[in-house]
């Protein structure tokens, strides 16, 4: 199989994984608790910045076209332009950031890769929250403190659990994907 075909398949697979994350949702005020952010960061960690962001881009295009891939089975451009649209844009940025930083872990033993991937994972989640909180603040006319209280603080415990799950998955799968792609060069 050609390397470009394999990369395309992996990109589509992660776009589907992010989309399936819509099935896992817990309403928490104006922003729901979802798994999609973890899958977006994971796509960057495993696929790298371009392919990972590409997977998120496919997910965003599908949602913008009306497919029910956003939290709660919603779709359409109005969701992207609404209060949670910043988080969705943040998925793209989070995949880029985590992918870029995780590239420094390539070809390193797990002991050396772990702190790099941990930093990349945390930075990916943080990159989601920056535009998310700012758009939430703007759309709902909140103070920065209110936006942080509604759009960040309730999610920190759950996101730390997601980091604890995403990190070992990335440590195991990233080298396999890299090796498989290298074999098919």
């Amino acid at each position: 199989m050609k390397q470009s075909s394999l990369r395309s398949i992996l990109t589509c697979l992660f776009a589907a994984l992010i989309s399936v994350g819509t099935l896992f949702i817990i309403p928490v005020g104006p922003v729901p608790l979802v798994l999609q952010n973890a899958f977006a960061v994971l796509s960057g960690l495993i696929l790298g910045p371009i392919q990972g962001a590409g997977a998120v881009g496919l997910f965003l295009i599908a949602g913008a076209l009306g497919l029910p891939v956003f939290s709660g089975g919603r779709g359409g451009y109005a969701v992207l332009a609404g209060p949670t649209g910043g988080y969705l844009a943040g998925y793209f940025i989070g995949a880029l950031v985590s992918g870029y930083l995780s590239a420094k872990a390539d070809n390193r033993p797990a002991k050396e890769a772990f702190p790099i991937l941990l930093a990349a994972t945390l930075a990916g989640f943080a990159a989601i929250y920056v535009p998310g909180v700012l758009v939430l603040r703007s759309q709902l006319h909140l103070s920065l403190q209110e936006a942080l209280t509604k759009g960040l603080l309730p999610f920190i415990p759950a996101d730390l659990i997601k980091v604890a799950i995403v990190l070992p998955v990335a440590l195991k799968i990233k080298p396999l994907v890299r090796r498989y792609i290298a074999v098919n060069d």
Side-chain angles (χ1 to χ4, degrees):
M1 181 179 298
K2 287 185 171 181
Q3 181 186 14
S4 61
S5 297
L6 179 60
R7 288 183 187 273
S8 296
I9 290 168
L10 289 169
T11 301
C12 291
L13 178 66
F14 272 86
L17 182 63
I18 297 165
S19 298
V20 167
T22 192
L23 300 175
F24 307 97
I25 177 174
I26 299 172
V28 183
V31 181
L33 177 65
V34 296
L35 286 180
Q36 291 176 309
N37 59 351
F39 293 144
V41 170
L42 186 63
S43 71
L45 292 172
I46 292 175
L47 301 178
I50 303 303
Q51 300 307 132
V56 175
L58 284 175
F59 157 76
L60 293 173
I61 290 168
L65 293 174
L67 294 176
V69 297
F70 297 146
S71 65
R74 298 175 303 146
Y77 179 75
V79 178
L80 289 172
T84 59
Y87 295 95
L88 294 169
Y91 291 178
F92 186 85
I93 298 166
L96 278 172
V97 168
S98 64
Y100 174 76
L101 295 175
S102 73
K104 298 179 184 335
D106 289 351
N107 304 317
R108 292 183 187 242
K111 272 188 170 180
E112 292 177 27
F114 179 83
I116 296 167
L117 290 178
L118 175 60
T121 304
L122 292 171
F125 274 94
I128 292 170
Y129 281 103
V130 171
V133 169
L134 293 175
V135 170
L136 182 70
R137 178 182 183 215
S138 172
Q139 290 282 320
L140 299 181
H141 308 289
L142 303 172
S143 70
L144 182 56
Q145 182 178 353
E146 290 172 319
L148 290 170
T149 301
K150 292 181 180 188
L152 172 65
L153 295 179
F155 305 100
I156 292 174
D159 284 348
L160 290 175
I161 293 168
K162 292 176 202 174
V163 168
I165 294 168
V166 164
L167 189 55
V169 169
L171 276 167
K172 290 289 185 188
I173 295 176
K174 183 177 178 70
L176 297 173
V177 168
R178 292 284 169 226
R179 239 178 290 146
Y180 191 72
I181 289 173
V183 166
N184 288 295
D185 274 346

